[in-house]
Amino acid sequence: MASRIRVGIAGTGAYVPERVVSNDWFEEILDTNDEWIVQRTGIRERRFAAEDEATSDLCVHAAEEALRNAGITADELDLIIVATISPDFQLPSTAVLVQDRLGATKAGAFDVVAACSGFVTALHTGEAFIAAGRARRVLVIGAETLSRFLNFEDRGSCIIFGDGAGAAVLMPHGECGQGEILRTSLGADGSGYEFIHMPGGGTRLPATVETVQANKHKIALKGRETFKFAVQRMSSLIREFMEDHEPEELGLIVPHQVNRRIIDAALDRLDMTDEKVLVNIQKYGNTSAASVPVALHEAVTQDRCIPGKLVVLVAFGAGLTWGGTLIRW
Ligand code: COA
């Protein structure tokens, strides 16, 4: 059997919509305030897509930047994987729309649905294709326009989420010489599916006038239950990845931007400070599948991914799902 091909992250990109929505905006429509939102979540503002902007539009911006940074063109891609829970359409996938818009004429394309763990799930899928010799250049995107699925009558959920997209181009490590994926981990516990879900619009509860009126097509969240799960998963994934490495080898942790308090509580459990952790939740809120790649791109542009050091991606969310990636930058 041929040996596995080592895979690297050749380039990253990100895009957030122009419209900035501050916490004050919610004060106009709900019984909430800036102080509560900042204290309980760390979020100060988030981005909402324009009316004529959908998830594939966000994807294309992020993808073009990632391709430029990887030094390749779209027609060199073998595969495009989009992670999203807010696709343009129920059918077909968002990935095929991106494939067409980019002119990726030689690429296959599909979506993955793993909510906030979507990007790491797509990253592992792309890595596996290259490692097995089934593809050489894979574009992986995490993108959401969750503003379309928020229940603006529910103050416990709508203040958390935002829109955005992040992308990464994968290729054999021998060709790009950076960001080698050393280890991946994925997990799921579907018994918690009701903690974060959109009950309507699928085969379980098809759309009717009544389901629309009852907000069944919007995100329903049990925040407190998710909170505990997120702290536990974030800390256990980091511990698992670092068990074979010295603490000095760690360059940066890029966690899913779920809630500032969740990140702090997980670091507390690990006896770590936030010095080596990228946090940008104050600017974008929780952008689900876009959260990790947007933060990773920010880390790259700020030179926080140090060559030779470890970068740990960790994500967790609806499903329940979780996953992590250990990278030698
Ligand atoms: N403004 C003001 N008060 C609010 C509020 C808001 N936006 N949202 C909730 N509250 C109130 C609640 O009604 C409750 O009031 P009560 O005590 O009178 O009943 C009180 O604040 C505490 O609510 P609770 O749900 O316990 O707050 P919390 O500290 O757990 O914070 C979340 C709520 C949602 C911010 C937090 O649980 C969270 O971030 N969870 C993770 C959610 C997530 O992002 N999941 C998705 C993927 S992992």
Side-chain angles (χ1 to χ4, degrees):
M1 206 175 100
S3 61
R4 277 175 78 81
I5 296 165
R6 293 157 60 204
V7 180
I9 297 177
T12 60
Y15 175 78
V16 290
E18 271 174 35
R19 183 178 165 208
V20 178
V21 178
S22 69
N23 292 341
D24 299 344
W25 184 83
F26 289 89
E27 288 185 25
E28 310 276 317
I29 57 166
L30 283 167
D31 179 16
T32 189
N33 56 71
D34 177 58
E35 193 191 348
W36 192 96
I37 300 172
V38 173
Q39 270 183 10
R40 293 297 184 110
T41 70
I43 300 166
R44 292 187 181 275
E45 59 190 39
R46 72 289 288 141
R47 303 297 180 99
F48 280 180
E51 265 177 44
D52 61 354
E53 230 173 4
T55 299
S56 66
D57 302 314
L58 313 188
C59 288
V60 168
H61 288 297
E64 285 173 342
E65 188 176 17
L67 288 166
R68 264 197 314 277
N69 287 333
I72 66 163
T73 52
D75 60 1
E76 295 177 68
L77 290 170
D78 299 312
L79 185 62
I80 298 172
I81 311 174
V82 174
T84 188
I85 50 165
S86 46
D88 286 31
F89 308 111
Q90 185 85 9
L91 176 78
S93 71
T94 300
V96 298
L97 308 174
V98 175
Q99 176 274 327
D100 179 49
R101 289 268 299 281
L102 292 176
T105 48
K106 296 203 272 296
F110 59 85
D111 288 1
V112 302
V113 179
C116 304
S117 317
F119 179 76
V120 293
T121 305
L123 195 68
H124 300 179
T125 310
E127 191 258 350
F129 268 87
I130 298 177
R134 299 279 188 253
R136 284 189 81 72
R137 283 158 171 61
V138 180
L139 171 64
V140 178
I141 306 172
E144 304 288 3
T145 313
L146 289 176
S147 57
R148 301 274 149 75
F149 297 103
L150 300 181
N151 177 357
F152 288 106
E153 291 166 14
D154 176 16
R155 64 179 183 170
S157 63
C158 69
I159 50 112
I160 296 171
F161 297 99
D163 302 339
V169 172
L170 302 180
M171 57 171 82
H173 183 256
E175 292 178 39
C176 69
Q178 65 167 22
E180 183 183 359
I181 296 175
L182 300 180
R183 225 174 121 175
T184 63
S185 169
L186 284 182
D189 176 8
S191 70
Y193 84 96
E194 276 186 314
F195 288 176
I196 316 161
H197 94 304
M198 276 191 246
T203 53
R204 183 70 60 194
L205 187 63
T208 63
V209 172
E210 289 74 27
T211 63
V212 173
Q213 283 169 344
N215 272 325
K216 296 290 185 193
H217 302 267
K218 307 284 170 154
I219 295 173
L221 172 73
K222 292 185 180 166
R224 228 171 286 181
E225 288 81 346
T226 324
F227 197 100
K228 287 181 220 149
F229 149 78
V231 171
Q232 201 273 327
R233 281 297 157 199
M234 179 172 158
S235 48
S236 60
L237 279 164
I238 294 170
R239 196 175 287 123
E240 178 189 324
F241 280 152
M242 290 307 297
E243 67 194 359
D244 297 330
H245 298 276
E246 297 303 320
E248 308 79 67
E249 289 180 70
L250 179 66
L252 188 69
I253 297 169
V254 181
H256 171 41
Q257 307 291 310
V258 56
N259 181 322
R260 174 80 221 200
R261 287 190 298 135
I262 289 174
I263 295 172
D264 289 343
L267 294 176
D268 253 10
R269 279 190 176 203
L270 295 164
D271 232 355
M272 288 173 85
T273 61
D274 64 2
E275 200 192 342
K276 289 183 175 178
V277 182
L278 195 134
V279 179
N280 65 8
I281 192 170
Q282 67 283 359
K283 295 188 285 187
Y284 306 127
N286 176 351
T287 56
S288 191
S291 151
V292 168
V294 167
L296 177 63
H297 180 65
E298 189 166 316
V300 171
T301 53
Q302 293 176 353
D303 291 329
R304 292 189 69 186
C305 293
I306 305 156
K309 294 270 187 190
L310 298 173
V311 175
V312 177
L313 312 183
V314 272
F316 28 82
L320 301 167
T321 59
W322 57 89
T325 319
L326 181 67
I327 303 163
R328 170 90 59 195
W329 204 263

